[in-house]
Amino acid sequence: VLIGLIDLGTHEETFQGVAKEARKIYLCWEVPGEKTSTDRSHVIGREYTCSFHEKAGLRKLIESWRGKPFADGEAFDLSKLIGAACLLNVIHDGNGEKQYAKVSGVSAMPKGMPKPVATIKPVTFDLDDNSPEEFPTADWLPWSYGEQLVVKVSRSPEWKAKGGTPANAAPKKQTQPAQKPAAKAPVEDEEPVPF
């Protein structure tokens, strides 16, 4: 179940040797039925470039999730994804002790399969609508590439333009332990995907 939609702001990235700036977004899923050592559901997330270009990973993810391609010029509100259930494909990558779980795909729940229900309250953060002081402080938020999301967001020009500083963030780096793939969780909700 998607429980986190975090605007990471604009960041420089290099693709095929060319540096460019791109707006980033972080999607975060709860995996009900898979528990951590603290008896809370596992949470896993992934960073995407916030683009609906026909080759963009975010667009492909949403098309796979909803089971149909976007029409030419179709607008899409990402906030519709919050609370939506899906089948999450998680792979384990890395080598030796540096293993990590990675979201490799998302698809719609098969017809008749019970949909999981989130047990964690969803959070959203949009740099266009929220101030740095409103950044979610939920302790379940995953890290991205070894750093807290607030640290990454604090480097964006959008954050700085709103008066946020790196001092708002804890610069401590940490790696997340590998997480297990999702298991089926029985629930009664059988409505179609709302997007």
Side-chain angles (χ1 to χ4, degrees):
V1 180
L2 190 79
I3 58 167
L5 184 61
I6 309 294
D7 179 359
L8 298 175
T10 303
H11 297 273
E12 188 174 296
E13 61 182 17
T14 303
F15 180 69
Q16 297 180 343
V18 178
K20 66 175 187 168
E21 291 189 336
R23 191 76 176 244
K24 298 290 187 173
I25 192 160
Y26 193 84
L27 303 181
C28 186
W29 291 269
E30 176 184 356
V31 186
E34 287 292 323
K35 301 293 183 183
T36 65
S37 60
T38 60
D39 203 37
R40 182 170 53 197
S41 295
H42 266 286
V43 176
I44 187 170
R46 183 164 175 191
E47 185 178 306
Y48 294 90
T49 298
C50 196
S51 170
F52 283 96
H53 181 275
E54 63 186 29
K55 293 183 180 181
L58 181 62
R59 178 179 176 144
K60 290 177 182 179
L61 171 113
I62 296 169
E63 286 178 339
S64 174
W65 193 345
R66 72 186 203 160
K68 66 178 186 174
F70 283 104
D72 288 342
E74 180 181 351
F76 185 76
D77 179 3
L78 286 171
S79 67
K80 289 181 178 183
L81 298 172
I82 290 292
C86 64
L87 288 179
L88 194 61
N89 187 18
V90 178
I91 61 172
H92 289 85
D93 206 351
N95 54 32
E97 290 186 27
K98 295 192 178 202
Q99 293 283 319
Y100 61 93
K102 176 182 175 183
V103 174
S104 66
V106 177
S107 59
M109 298 290 294
K111 200 173 207 171
M113 182 180 209
K115 293 183 182 180
V117 175
T119 62
I120 299 172
K121 183 179 176 184
V123 298
T124 60
F125 180 76
D126 185 337
L127 280 162
D128 295 332
D129 298 332
N130 300 112
S131 71
E133 293 78 24
E134 296 173 288
F135 192 85
T137 58
D139 64 346
W140 56 261
L141 278 172
W143 293 39
S144 181
Y145 301 108
E147 68 181 346
Q148 291 176 310
L149 296 178
V150 69
V151 173
K152 177 144 189 159
V153 175
S154 74
R155 290 195 308 269
S156 74
E158 295 85 1
W159 175 278
K160 293 172 185 172
K162 291 200 168 202
T165 65
N168 294 74
K172 179 181 166 193
K173 291 195 175 196
Q174 171 183 329
T175 57
Q176 281 187 294
Q179 298 176 356
K180 296 178 183 177
K184 296 177 187 175
V187 192
E188 295 84 29
D189 184 14
E190 300 259 346
E191 294 187 22
V193 176
F195 51 90

